[in-house]
Amino acid sequence: MPIIFLYFLFINFIAYIVMANDKKKAQKHQYRTSESALWMLALAGGAPGSWLAMQTRRHKTKHAAFKYGMPVLAVMDLVILGMIGGVI
C-alpha cells in the first residue's frame, strides 16, 4: 500500500475524530476546536473525513463556508489522490 494512501486514511480518520469531538464539545458547552484548526486538517487532505463527520454528526452544516467549501475541498482531495495513486 503506497504511503500516500496510508497518509490519506490517517488524516481523514483524524479529521473525522476531531470534527465529531468538536460536536460533542458544542453540545456540552465546552471549549471548542477552532475553525482554523478544522480547516487546516481539511487542507492537509482530511476534507472527506471532515465532510463525512459533518453529515453523520450534523455539525457545521449551517455554516456556508463549511456547507459548500468542505465538499468542494473533499472532491479536490479525492481527485488529487486518484491522480497520485494512478486511479485517474
Side-chain angles (χ1 to χ4, degrees), residues 5-24:
F5 185 71
L6 290 175
Y7 170 79
F8 185 77
L9 287 176
F10 176 75
I11 196 68
N12 278 281
F13 176 75
I14 296 299
Y16 183 93
I17 295 299
V18 170
M19 185 71 83
N21 190 41
D22 188 52
K23 173 65 175 192
K24 287 180 187 176

Side-chain angles (χ1 to χ4, degrees), residues 1-78:
M1 205 178 285
I3 190 81
I4 296 292
F5 185 71
L6 290 175
Y7 170 79
F8 185 77
L9 287 176
F10 176 75
I11 196 68
N12 278 281
F13 176 75
I14 296 299
Y16 183 93
I17 295 299
V18 170
M19 185 71 83
N21 190 41
D22 188 52
K23 173 65 175 192
K24 287 180 187 176
K25 289 179 180 181
Q27 291 171 326
K28 295 179 180 180
H29 304 288
Q30 294 177 339
Y31 185 75
R32 306 272 306 278
T33 304
S34 69
E35 288 189 357
S36 62
L38 297 174
W39 279 111
M40 282 292 138
L41 280 170
L43 288 170
S50 294
W51 182 80
L52 183 61
M54 286 174 58
Q55 300 307 304
T56 59
R57 305 297 176 146
R58 296 184 56 125
H59 188 48
K60 298 282 188 192
T61 56
K62 293 183 181 180
H63 296 255
F66 282 89
K67 182 178 182 179
Y68 301 111
M70 199 61 71
V72 169
L73 191 54
V75 169
M76 290 172 56
D77 284 350
L78 292 171

